[in-house]
Amino acid sequence: MARIAVIGAGMGAMAAAARLAVAGHRVAVYERSETYGGAVRRFEREGFAFDTGPGLLPLPAVYRDLFVKTGKEPLEDVVELVQVDPSARHVFADGTEVSLPNASRAGVVAALDEALGEGAGQRWGDFLVRAREAWDRTRRPLLEEPLWPNWQVLAEREPYPSVPHKRLLRTRRAATLADIGAWELRDERLAALLESHVLGYGLDPRTAPASAAVLPYMEHAFGTWYVRGGIRELARAVYERCLKRRVEFGFGAEVTGILRKDGRAAGIELADGSLVEADHVVADVDPARLRVLTEHPLDADGDVLPGDPVLPAPGRFTALLALRGGREPGAVHRTVVHAPDVQTELDLLASPGGDRPVCPTVTVLRPDDPALAPDGAHESVVVSAVVPAGAAWEEEGTVRSYTDFLVGAAERAVPGLRERLLWHEVRTPVHTERETGARSGAVPAPALAAGRGRFLHPANTTRLPGLYRVGGWSHPGGGLPHAGMSGALVAGLIVEGPEFRGSR
């Protein structure tokens, strides 16, 4: 039985802790804040409740596997999962609207043909077929296996298939997601629909590799799910699973250093000066913070490096809206209101300062969930957008501008919103940094193949033996399912050793 110290209580950290405890290890989690869940949090006021992190769950199979492997208990026994249908309503810049059925290719094709014109649905359906090929080629190495030294194959080989060009009688390969929109979809609205899937993670479709097509494919193939009571209920269920497996938690316990002995990680040092010995250390923290915790180099030439050391990834701006009046019958759970000028939006996200607020692409979430409002005569709504992490978030004018953008976009999804608004709370990347420790409140994105390795995440192992990375900033990257998979990978590496090759 090994002693394992886990730094942070995010979803990846707790998933790893539960799996390691089941394997017979003594596991203790040290979290600098006063609660668990990382970015998966809840805000409550006057009987209203809001998810302040992710609001929907893709790939629930990842957490089904976690609960079966750590207690032979179905996920549905501890949380109530609801399939969101329609999957999303899209409001495009020209005023066109379309609602897409959940996990129904025929339904999506028909809806797009009706809203965007005949042929639009078929082009989207053909794209999904090619996206499935990319998914089949990358699913195992990106989600289910450790990032071994041959990661260059993932970095250099674009798995998205070439497409025959009818007029030129040859094939051509899309290099970026934007190429797919221009060459294959041939409709600005279809391109906006495609690009919104990567923009939600702060990725620029003009530079994101074509393999990012797996993101809309995953949503289409596996559906979009909501956890009754909010995604925070999933964090609670994982935390309680850890407690059942006798994982120990220390909250308000900031780790200030990683101890070394005989050339390997040997424990942690806490802010109060106490030392905790351990045989292995698992860190669910931002890469910049992890480098501060140890003087030992964690990466070397040839490794996947942990992001841009100068320019932080974009963050998220969220407005929590408390409304009088109940949710009208037939209201759509998720509406995406596309930016009036997406190119300007992308240019702003790519700039270091990002101090020129422009109207972003906005996501409006309206769960049909009585647990989130004081009664049936009220409604809680969460409105969010990806924004430049380096903007002047301490300035009132910047916050006011983005609040106005988000509320204005939400009016297109919620009838009579301004007249119904009782109060609102806003959360900027500063709040995210304060709660999670992520530099500038950046949002980690899932790993993607190709792109010369820019869109991969550092391996779960490090150059310091006994120290492992887990969570959104390590392989396989950000998002709820990817964090859960990183926990499984780290547990496998510790329990089975270097021969571990992921699920079999």
Side-chain angles (χ1 to χ4, degrees):
M1 179 180 71
R3 300 163 300 173
I4 299 176
V6 179
I7 307 174
M11 298 298 284
M14 291 195 295
R19 290 178 181 270
L20 289 166
V22 166
H25 299 297
R26 181 180 176 183
V27 185
V29 177
Y30 300 87
E31 166 60 44
R32 68 188 186 94
S33 72
E34 298 300 330
T35 190
Y36 54 84
V40 183
R41 300 204 177 206
R42 173 183 288 148
F43 178 84
E44 297 180 351
R45 174 180 161 186
E46 298 173 10
F48 291 88
F50 308 85
D51 279 325
T52 61
L56 295 171
L57 176 64
L59 277 181
V62 172
Y63 287 92
R64 290 192 179 107
D65 181 74
L66 172 66
F67 277 84
V68 169
K69 297 289 179 58
T70 61
K72 298 181 180 179
E73 184 179 18
L75 174 63
E76 284 80 357
D77 282 359
V78 293
V79 296
E80 182 182 354
L81 289 180
V82 181
Q83 195 165 29
V84 176
D85 197 11
S87 174
R89 170 190 175 205
H90 287 263
V91 180
F92 297 105
D94 66 354
T96 307
E97 299 183 11
V98 62
S99 291
L100 302 179
N102 197 340
S104 169
R105 184 179 184 277
V108 168
V109 168
L112 289 173
D113 277 343
E114 181 178 353
L116 308 186
E118 186 175 355
Q122 185 62 48
R123 291 197 298 277
W124 184 260
D126 292 343
F127 154 73
L128 288 176
V129 172
R130 291 186 288 275
R132 177 178 180 175
E133 291 187 44
W135 167 255
D136 289 341
R137 295 170 182 173
T138 60
R139 173 187 58 82
R140 189 175 182 90
L142 279 178
L143 282 181
E144 299 178 357
E145 296 182 347
L147 196 64
W148 296 104
N150 64 350
W151 64 266
Q152 285 89 348
V153 175
L154 279 172
E156 297 167 3
R157 184 178 300 170
E158 172 56 73
Y160 187 78
S162 301
V163 179
H165 192 290
K166 297 179 181 178
R167 287 182 295 178
L168 299 181
L169 299 179
R170 61 178 176 83
T171 61
R172 61 182 176 184
R173 184 180 297 279
T176 68
L177 201 73
D179 289 342
I180 296 176
W183 298 354
E184 301 179 36
L185 300 180
R186 304 190 304 279
D187 184 299
E188 290 185 356
R189 296 161 298 183
L190 284 179
L193 169 61
L194 170 64
E195 293 172 359
S196 67
H197 287 83
V198 300
L199 185 58
Y201 289 105
L203 298 175
D204 187 337
R206 301 172 300 186
T207 57
S211 62
V214 300
L215 297 176
Y217 172 76
M218 285 166 53
E219 181 173 303
H220 164 76
F222 304 108
T224 303
W225 300 81
Y226 173 70
V227 178
R228 185 72 68 186
I231 295 294
R232 177 66 177 179
E233 287 299 296
L234 178 63
R236 175 198 55 77
V238 176
Y239 171 66
E240 291 180 354
R241 174 50 48 88
C242 287
L243 294 180
K244 288 182 179 179
R245 300 284 79 85
R246 298 186 179 180
V247 174
E248 300 174 6
F249 283 82
F251 295 107
E254 182 175 3
V255 176
T256 55
I258 295 173
L259 307 178
R260 285 186 295 156
K261 183 178 180 181
D262 299 328
R264 61 176 291 115
I268 59 173
E269 179 178 1
L270 300 177
D272 63 7
S274 60
L275 306 179
V276 179
E277 295 183 354
D279 301 298
H280 303 277
V281 177
V282 177
D284 185 0
V285 297
D286 176 272
R289 183 176 169 224
L290 184 59
R291 287 194 295 268
V292 172
L293 296 180
T294 176
E295 297 178 354
H296 191 94
L298 302 180
D299 306 286
D301 291 342
D303 291 345
V304 176
L305 298 179
D308 190 324
V310 178
L311 181 62
R316 196 174 304 281
F317 186 96
T318 304
L320 313 176
L321 311 181
L323 306 183
R324 64 170 61 88
R327 187 178 187 270
E328 72 274 13
V332 176
H333 188 124
R334 174 175 57 166
T335 299
V336 179
V337 182
H338 293 263
D341 185 350
V342 70
Q343 295 304 314
T344 301
E345 177 187 23
L346 295 177
D347 289 343
L348 181 61
L349 288 176
S351 65
D355 56 356
R356 297 179 297 104
V358 298
C359 187
T361 297
V362 174
T363 299
V364 183
L365 296 181
R366 304 180 64 192
D368 184 10
D369 191 344
L372 304 184
D375 52 47
H378 295 85
E379 181 183 8
S380 67
V381 175
V382 177
V383 191
S384 64
V386 172
V387 295
W393 295 115
E394 302 290 357
E395 295 183 6
E396 183 179 346
T398 302
V399 174
R400 186 186 306 113
S401 293
Y402 277 101
T403 302
D404 289 342
F405 287 144
L406 266 62
V407 172
E411 283 189 292
R412 304 182 68 178
V414 183
L417 182 139
R418 288 190 188 271
E419 292 74 23
R420 297 175 57 195
L421 185 61
L422 292 171
W423 50 263
H424 72 275
E425 294 275 350
V426 298
R427 301 177 65 81
T428 74
V430 173
H431 293 89
T432 305
E433 180 174 18
R434 199 174 295 148
E435 292 178 351
T436 67
R439 182 169 63 113
S440 299
V443 177
L448 298 171
R452 298 184 179 179
R454 286 182 53 218
F455 299 91
L456 296 175
H457 292 259
N460 305 104
T461 54
T462 70
R463 295 286 172 170
L464 177 60
L467 175 62
Y468 300 84
R469 298 183 180 100
V470 73
W473 298 104
S474 63
H475 177 73
L480 281 173
H482 302 85
M485 286 304 303
S486 72
L489 293 172
V490 166
L493 287 166
I494 293 176
V495 173
E496 300 188 34
E499 68 276 10
F500 176 68
R501 288 294 186 276
S503 62
R504 295 174 174 82

